[in-house]
């Protein structure tokens, strides 16, 4: 007889948090419905969302620190106003949106790129590069998981 380590409710609460963190609205639609079907309370779902968004905020803060450290500058010395509407800015935002897996962000970034006269071919190169970086980031994350779970 096999003993279930996690209940279906536990798994769905984890899936809710993961869907939120992955930026996948379709996944959220499915798992928010499913988690209630398997008996989770609204308070439990709310805690899953709070935990997930806290993880997102922590990851965002860590990556901001790393990026500014690599540039060897303080965040207070950054002026973002001068390039806000440029073509490269639009492509960077598209790449970041693809990496976030957030469909509305991707759609908005595509529209922003179009309005900055970025061609479809340029967008496709950007998307391909972003997917490659995202895939590699997943490989690095898997390596870290293996290393730290087995140590």
């Amino acid at each position: 007889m096999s003993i279930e380590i996690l209940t279906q409710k536990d798994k769905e609460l984890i899936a809710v948090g993961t869907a939120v963190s992955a930026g996948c609205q379709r996944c959220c639609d499915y798992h928010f419905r499913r988690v209630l079907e398997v008996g989770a309370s609204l308070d439990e779902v709310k805690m899953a969302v709070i935990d997930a968004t806290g993880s997102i905020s922590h990851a965002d803060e860590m990556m901001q620190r790393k990026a500014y450290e690599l540039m060897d500058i303080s965040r207070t010395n950054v002026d973002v106003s001068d390039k806000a509407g440029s073509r490269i800015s639009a492509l960077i935002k598209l790449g970041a949106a693809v990496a976030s897996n957030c469909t509305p962000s991707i759609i908005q970034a595509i529209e922003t790129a179009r309005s900055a006269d970025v061609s479809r071919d340029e967008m496709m190169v950007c998307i391909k590069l972003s997917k490659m970086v995202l895939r590699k980031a997943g490989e690095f994350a898997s390596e870290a998981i293996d290393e730290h779970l087995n140590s």
Side-chain angles (χ1 to χ4, degrees), residues 122-133:
E122 289 170 316
M123 284 189 254
M124 291 305 296
V125 170
C126 172
I127 291 165
K128 182 177 179 180
L129 175 62
S130 299
K131 287 180 177 182
M132 181 183 70
V133 170

Side-chain angles (χ1 to χ4, degrees), residues 16-140:
V16 164
T18 303
V20 168
S21 294
C24 180
Q25 289 194 345
R26 286 177 150 177
C27 300
C28 284
D29 290 342
Y30 175 80
H31 290 291
F32 273 76
R33 184 177 60 253
R34 241 343 248 135
V35 75
L36 296 173
E37 290 172 0
V38 298
S41 70
L42 288 177
D43 283 341
E44 290 172 313
V45 176
K46 182 168 71 171
M47 187 51 62
V49 170
I50 290 168
D51 289 344
T53 55
S55 291
I56 294 166
S57 295
H58 182 259
D60 182 54
E61 175 65 25
M62 297 297 291
M63 291 312 302
Q64 284 184 44
R65 284 184 190 171
K66 181 64 176 176
Y68 288 104
E69 174 189 310
L70 289 169
M71 292 185 295
D72 196 26
I73 60 173
S74 165
R75 283 191 260 189
T76 58
N77 297 334
V78 177
D79 178 14
V80 295
S81 61
D82 57 337
K83 297 276 185 183
S86 73
R87 293 175 76 259
I88 192 62
S89 178
L91 285 166
I92 292 166
K93 290 173 182 174
L94 176 58
V98 169
S100 76
N101 294 317
C102 182
T103 305
S105 295
I106 293 168
I107 293 167
Q108 180 181 8
I110 290 170
E111 293 307 316
T112 298
R114 282 185 179 141
S115 65
D117 293 324
V118 175
S119 73
R120 182 184 186 286
D121 288 343
E122 289 170 316
M123 284 189 254
M124 291 305 296
V125 170
C126 172
I127 291 165
K128 182 177 179 180
L129 175 62
S130 299
K131 287 180 177 182
M132 181 183 70
V133 170
L134 188 57
R135 184 179 64 252
K136 195 65 179 173
E139 291 172 12
F140 291 143

